[in-house]
Amino acid sequence: MSGNFTRIRDAQTIIGMLEHGELNTELSQEITGLLSYLLGLTEGRKKAKAKGSVTLKLDFLVEEGTVTISPDIAVKKPKPPRGDSFYFLRDDGSISTQHPQQEDMFAGPRAARMDTQANA
């Protein structure tokens, strides 16, 4: 191939041209959305970390002197953190909030008293 054709060799230009510029817009939105999501997972938590990724995949099909570029965007977001709960495991496989080697000082939950007299 010879002639005075425009040669595009810059990745930024190629990505900007794909899907008439719509791919670039979508990629930018996905990056911003992921960063906002990750920020939300870490806010209010000291030393919290959240990791995600945005992957741009470009498939190339060369045929008879032409190239077809098929893009794909994949976003990986972490699951929101969940709190742990601590219990004691009993011999029979059940769980308990009470340590098995400590006496119960209060003998379990008690019914609430309702005072029906108003303070005078």
Side-chain angles (χ1 to χ4, degrees):
M1 292 188 154
S2 61
N4 207 8
F5 298 103
T6 303
R7 297 176 191 268
I8 303 167
R9 294 190 175 131
D10 178 59
Q12 183 176 357
T13 302
I14 294 169
I15 292 169
M17 291 177 11
L18 295 175
E19 297 178 352
H20 305 288
E22 294 298 317
L23 177 75
N24 188 46
T25 301
E26 183 182 341
L27 181 61
S28 297
Q29 290 170 348
E30 293 291 359
I31 290 170
T32 302
L34 176 63
L35 291 172
S36 177
Y37 179 80
L38 296 175
L39 178 62
L41 291 179
T42 60
E43 281 184 323
R45 297 174 47 224
K46 287 187 177 183
K47 298 184 182 181
K49 295 179 183 180
K51 183 178 179 180
S53 67
V54 176
T55 303
L56 173 62
K57 178 182 173 188
L58 301 176
D59 288 331
F60 298 89
L61 173 65
V62 175
E63 182 177 31
E64 297 181 13
T66 65
V67 62
T68 301
I69 304 172
S70 301
D72 186 40
I73 299 172
V75 179
K76 288 186 182 179
K77 293 181 179 179
K79 292 181 181 180
R82 301 197 59 99
D84 293 333
S85 299
F86 181 82
Y87 300 98
F88 296 97
L89 185 59
R90 306 298 304 235
D91 292 340
D92 65 357
S94 63
I95 61 173
S96 174
T97 57
Q98 183 179 347
H99 191 289
Q101 296 176 346
Q102 291 182 351
E103 288 186 34
D104 184 5
M105 294 177 56
F106 304 105
R110 298 180 186 164
R113 280 190 350 200
M114 294 185 66
D115 290 334
T116 56
Q117 299 176 354
N119 292 338

